[in-house]
Amino acid sequence: MTRYNHIVVLTGAGLSAESGLHTFRDKDGIWARYDYREVATPEGYHRNPVQVLNFYNERRKQNAHVKPNAAHDALARLEAEYPGQVLVVTQNIDPLHEMAGSKNLIHMHGEIQKALCVACGRRHAIAHSDLTLETVCPACNEAGYMRPDVVWFGEMPYDMERIYDALGACDLFLSIGTSGTVYPAAGFVLEARSAGAHTVELNLEPSEGISDFHEAIHGRATEVVPAYVERLLSAAHGQVSFGRWA
Ligand code: APR
């Protein structure tokens, strides 16, 4: 039986959908109601910072009322119980992975409960507070430079070196709840595959990158993720044989 040593799990908005947070590109998604160029680009922020701050203030309020679901819990359990390394790389800016207990975690697109001061570069935990042009940076005492610590379109995601190192060393790559439309995350499957990893998509429907995966299981995250984690743990603890594509 195969036991994996280095598992990298990429997650997207579909993982948090059943916790009550909208995805981006589904028919009632966030980008169906907002123009991403207005609210999720540096240009949009410079043109109308109040509009951008209010957009994230609204989303931060929504995040305050949601809980991790069975898929978040299953990934935290995998990290805690799997006899190999498990790294979660999330595109999500919500705190649900941490709330479920995941620790080896990278928020490659930032975190909605943090603010970044454009004046001094310091980051601050802001929990559910609103950001306005009057908000003062606790480090440099400047007002009006605090933006959401979120990676906008056209900006470099966080921790890319650590992510590519992990992809280069992983032997199992899971992609969960993401449409595979936004790079560099959409390219991770091929990075992992070229490192020899087995690659699996767990998603409600086939993603844009479906043909890049060895295996795919389609269904709701709260159903397919706990079931897949159970199989991994059983195989790792020698309870069942677990196939691997060469
Ligand atoms: N269970 C599993 N998958 C789901 C569920 C569910 N309950 N609901 C939706 N999905 C799937 C959809 O089928 C879709 O493929 O989740 C995916 C969500 O795709 P997007 O809305 O495009 O979100 P994501 O892939 O995370 O977006 C990537 O784009 O807008 C930017 O920075 C933002 O991080 C985000 C990035």
Side-chain angles (χ1 to χ4, degrees), residues 100-206:
S102 286
K103 296 187 176 41
N104 196 19
L105 172 68
I106 294 176
H107 278 276
M108 69 179 289
H109 291 165
E111 298 173 65
I112 196 156
Q113 294 187 344
K114 289 189 179 165
L116 170 65
C117 175
V118 182
C120 72
R122 300 284 290 277
R123 288 182 168 82
H124 307 281
I126 57 169
H128 313 309
S129 324
D130 280 357
L131 288 177
T132 70
L133 292 181
E134 287 68 49
T135 305
V136 175
C137 168
C140 71
N141 286 319
E142 290 283 348
Y145 293 97
M146 293 274 271
R147 58 164 274 184
D149 185 19
V150 168
V151 176
W152 288 327
F153 290 96
E155 295 184 323
M156 178 56 79
Y158 296 154
D159 276 331
M160 289 309 295
E161 203 177 320
R162 206 176 134 211
I163 294 172
Y164 280 121
D165 287 350
L167 291 168
C170 77
D171 51 8
L172 179 63
F173 174 78
L174 304 180
S175 175
I176 306 175
T178 183
S179 59
T181 51
V182 175
Y183 285 78
F188 290 172
V189 56
L190 291 178
E191 286 286 325
R193 206 173 163 141
S194 62
H198 182 59
T199 58
V200 183
E201 170 173 291
L202 304 173
N203 207 46
L204 191 61
E205 59 201 353

Side-chain angles (χ1 to χ4, degrees), residues 206-222:
S207 74
E208 295 280 314
I210 182 66
S211 57
D212 297 331
F213 289 88
H214 291 107
E215 188 183 346
I217 301 168
H218 294 125
R220 288 151 35 107
T222 55

